[in-house]
Amino acid sequence: MYSIMIWNAQHFDNQKAQLSSAYTEKKKFLDYYIAQKKPDIIALFEVGKTGTVNESLISDLMDSYSPVALLEQEGGKKKHTTLGSMVLIRNAIASEFDDVTGRYILSHTEQRAPLIIRHKKTTYGFAFYHANASFMAPSNIVDTVGFIESNAENLGIKGLLFFGGDLNVIASEASNDILGMTKLLPNGAGFTHVSVRNVTLQRATNELRDLHERGLYRNNTPQSYLQEYMMAQGIEKCELQPILLLLDYAYVHHPNAWKAVCEGSLHVKSDGDGNVVAVVPLCAGQPIRSDHFPVLFTLNATLG
């Protein structure tokens, strides 16, 4: 039985001097989540820049977790777009797995490479992937699963047991099955990603566009025009609209042996007219500084 946490922490970058507020807040949440859920395997995305491992995060977690797979330069078609990925495993079981990512043969269409670890005893493979947010994401996911499976012998695995991460494809639009693997969506929130649209700014932008067409306010940007627009409209606070998406999930073999949960939620504040004016993302009751919420997968079966 193993549990796997995946989380796109978004710009959880290496710290060389004084810790940034972003790093401190993300680390505080991660420490809380780990203490509560005690995941065996942690896959984190956007934890570095091209060629730079997040050494500070590895050091901060080393008492409990060992880095097993690191993606400094994510390979594929656009190497300069790497955002950094890592897989850490609880120290007590870290020796049960090894990293086989270096044996992987990239598809010529891939934007980013996966991280692949192997359970030594059974030789099952576990792959972790951060797809590009583009129209190519669905085909890249299928390509990547296919390339892993077709190179299973070279990777030293009998096949994939798990393929998951920030897949950047709306779950309802994604394939239900890929090469015998079944889509596994998390229970709970019903979403794993939140973006906040500034409705007031959009209205100000539309009005400014009309003014530009009439030769007025040429030197104004939407941001600089926003305050004047709000004063003219008698608006005190911007109206916001949360946009909820399910982007973080997995494909698994033996789906009946798996369960997944996302405990994301929102604290929403509204004005007297019912307009949303503040949105605070929460996970497991704690503030979280990321557009993505972690997902916890549990394999209710014994390997070996």
Side-chain angles (χ1 to χ4, degrees):
M1 179 173 174
Y2 293 101
S3 58
I4 301 170
M5 171 193 180
I6 62 169
W7 183 34
N8 182 343
Q10 292 190 318
H11 311 301
F12 200 176
D13 297 335
N14 186 49
Q15 306 291 289
K16 294 183 178 180
Q18 184 175 351
L19 299 180
S20 68
S21 60
Y23 183 94
T24 301
E25 290 178 30
K26 292 174 193 290
K27 180 60 170 43
K28 181 179 179 181
F29 168 77
L30 182 60
D31 286 341
Y32 173 83
Y33 192 90
I34 288 172
Q36 293 294 312
K37 307 302 178 183
K38 298 177 173 59
D40 295 308
I41 300 170
I42 300 174
L44 299 174
F45 308 102
E46 296 198 24
V47 288
K49 298 289 193 296
T50 299
T52 303
V53 172
N54 194 332
E55 296 176 351
S56 53
L57 181 58
I58 291 172
S59 177
D60 286 347
L61 295 174
M62 66 184 301
D63 286 346
S64 300
Y65 289 88
S66 300
V68 174
L70 303 171
L71 213 53
E72 303 176 46
Q73 185 91 335
E74 287 176 316
K77 191 175 181 180
K78 296 182 180 180
K79 292 184 179 181
H80 63 279
T81 64
T82 181
L83 298 171
S85 302
M86 65 170 65
V87 176
L88 306 104
I89 301 181
R90 190 161 49 85
N91 290 341
I93 62 167
S95 62
E96 298 177 17
F97 294 85
D98 60 1
D99 177 25
V100 297
T101 305
R103 303 182 188 181
Y104 178 68
I105 300 173
L106 285 167
S107 158
H108 71 283
T109 64
E110 284 179 297
Q111 304 292 301
R112 296 173 182 161
L115 283 170
I116 310 169
I117 61 173
R118 175 178 59 182
H119 185 251
K120 294 178 182 177
K121 186 174 181 180
T122 63
T123 70
Y124 277 121
F126 295 73
F128 304 92
Y129 190 65
H130 180 197
N132 281 70
S134 78
F135 71 95
M136 294 183 64
S139 59
N140 281 337
I141 291 167
V142 173
D143 276 358
T144 302
V145 173
F147 266 70
I148 293 172
E149 293 285 16
S150 63
N151 285 282
E153 184 177 354
N154 181 58
L155 292 168
I157 62 175
K158 66 172 61 174
L160 275 180
L161 193 62
F162 176 95
F163 178 95
D166 174 7
L167 300 186
N168 261 319
V169 180
I170 297 172
S172 60
E173 300 176 3
S175 302
N176 290 324
D177 297 279
I178 299 178
L179 299 176
M181 302 188 79
T182 302
K183 181 170 63 179
L184 176 66
L185 305 181
N187 293 318
F191 56 88
T192 64
H193 178 275
V194 58
S195 58
V196 180
R197 177 172 171 259
N198 189 324
V199 177
T200 303
L201 177 60
Q202 185 59 58
R203 290 171 181 160
T205 301
N206 294 340
E207 182 172 295
L208 182 61
R209 186 182 299 116
D210 292 338
L211 291 169
H212 282 174
E213 290 177 356
R214 290 153 50 192
L216 303 173
Y217 289 87
R218 286 290 190 178
N219 295 326
N220 284 79
T221 65
Q223 284 290 351
S224 65
Y225 180 69
L226 177 61
Q227 195 62 40
E228 183 172 339
Y229 173 83
M230 291 176 67
M231 290 181 63
Q233 297 292 325
I235 299 171
E236 294 184 3
K237 292 185 178 181
C238 288
E239 179 185 350
L240 307 177
Q241 179 187 16
I243 300 171
L244 307 176
L245 300 172
L246 207 170
L247 302 177
D248 307 79
Y249 49 95
Y251 287 88
V252 298
H253 276 298
H254 312 295
N256 292 335
W258 290 89
K259 67 177 182 179
V261 63
C262 176
E263 296 183 60
S265 63
L266 300 177
H267 176 70
V268 175
K269 181 180 179 180
S270 301
D271 62 16
D273 296 322
N275 299 319
V276 175
V277 294
V279 178
V280 179
L282 303 170
C283 184
Q286 298 296 306
I288 180 171
R289 187 164 172 167
S290 174
D291 289 350
H292 289 264
F293 300 93
V295 179
L296 187 69
F297 301 87
T298 304
L299 175 61
N300 294 307
T302 301
L303 292 182

